[in-house]
Amino acid sequence: MLAIRKIQPQGPYRFAGYSSGAILAYALAKRLLSRGEAVSFMAFIDVTLPANPSSRSDAQVALDMIFEPLESLDDERFELLEKISEHSSVAQLFESAQQIGAIASDRDLYDKALRFVYFHRALRSYRAPTLPIEIHQFYAADAFPSRRVRGKNSIDPEARSIMRGWDRVLSGAAIHAVSIPGNHVTMMSNPENRDVLARTLSRALNGSPTDTLNCTPFSPDTRVSQRS
């Protein structure tokens, strides 16, 4: 928050966050509101608020964040790593991935996985409060989060709702839900989908106060470029 106040000492502030990065933005908004500042705009880019904390292990989080998006990793080897992740540490998962040729030895990639893990541990302990704000939820039209679909039952009910679970802490009237083509990843990685997102986000911004700071907390699990 100090970095935000250094750029702009006073509000009103505007925030936008992709995926779990928006939960960080929401927590920052609470801090600012508690200090008497105004938050005039909050954009969520496909942000789910689960009803229950994730039960996935550290290794399974690393699997989702690091290995799932790899185009070079075929489904057969991914399924093997998926089984390994159920009973292994992050270090053991990476060792197994190297042994089957899924990745080369890469300390930076391992460190990146640990950052994901620490961030998701913090998310599991966070409980979103009710705030006196409105949010714009730009949700992915395709509820399946990725190309490696593990079955419909594996998707949380909140992720299938256009409210993405935020109606548990905010009123329905405070949530402006807008559909964006693609899934959680391709709504950002596909240029056409990203253009739709940029246009709809711009329209929403144009309807909010302009004397503000645009802060965009993208989550550590962001796997696409921020080019829109």
Side-chain angles (χ1 to χ4, degrees):
M1 195 171 74
L2 290 176
I4 294 173
R5 299 291 290 269
K6 184 177 180 180
I7 296 171
Q8 182 178 323
Q10 295 180 324
Y13 295 92
R14 296 187 293 184
F15 291 92
Y18 169 59
S19 191
S20 53
I23 299 179
L24 172 60
Y26 194 80
L28 288 170
K30 179 181 182 298
R31 291 283 302 276
L32 289 166
L33 289 169
S34 69
R35 298 189 179 192
E37 296 290 356
V39 176
S40 64
F41 184 83
M42 178 73 71
F44 285 1
I45 303 174
D46 204 48
V47 183
T48 299
L49 183 67
N52 301 302
S54 172
S55 60
R56 293 185 71 74
S57 68
D58 289 349
Q60 288 172 321
V61 169
L63 177 82
D64 291 342
M65 299 299 106
I66 296 291
F67 296 102
E68 194 283 331
L70 292 177
E71 296 289 344
S72 59
L73 182 60
D74 59 79
D75 290 344
E76 182 178 354
R77 287 185 297 172
F78 178 80
E79 290 172 4
L80 176 59
L81 291 177
E82 191 171 29
K83 292 178 181 177
I84 292 171
S85 70
E86 295 174 0
H87 308 287
S88 70
S89 66
V90 175
Q92 291 168 334
L93 176 65
F94 267 74
E95 182 179 353
S96 298
Q98 293 170 21
Q99 290 174 351
I100 66 174
I103 59 170
S105 178
D106 190 330
R107 181 70 195 186
D108 289 341
L109 197 62
Y110 178 73
D111 290 342
K112 184 178 181 182
L114 292 182
R115 289 196 296 271
F116 292 147
V117 167
Y118 298 149
F119 184 72
H120 279 265
R121 285 180 186 174
L123 285 180
R124 282 196 292 265
S125 64
Y126 179 71
R127 299 293 179 270
T130 298
L131 296 181
I133 62 174
E134 297 183 359
I135 65 171
H136 296 260
Q137 174 73 269
F138 300 94
Y139 67 93
D142 183 355
F144 291 108
S146 69
R147 62 190 177 92
R148 302 187 203 267
V149 177
R150 300 184 180 92
K152 245 180 183 177
N153 292 334
S154 67
I155 302 176
D156 292 334
E158 296 83 10
R160 294 195 290 267
S161 165
I162 64 173
M163 299 292 189
R164 293 297 195 261
W166 286 92
D167 50 334
R168 295 200 315 277
V169 296
L170 298 173
S171 71
I175 303 171
H176 309 283
V178 181
S179 177
I180 303 296
N183 61 32
H184 183 73
V185 174
T186 60
M187 69 184 296
M188 293 281 284
S189 63
N190 180 285
E192 293 182 359
N193 296 344
R194 194 166 60 241
D195 285 346
V196 174
L197 173 61
R199 289 195 299 270
T200 53
L201 178 56
S202 292
R203 284 197 294 269
L205 279 169
N206 287 336
S208 69
T210 57
D211 184 20
T212 56
L213 168 67
N214 296 324
C215 300
T216 308
F218 278 69
S219 73
D221 62 352
T222 300
R223 290 166 281 180
V224 294
S225 62
Q226 306 169 24
R227 292 180 290 177
S228 57

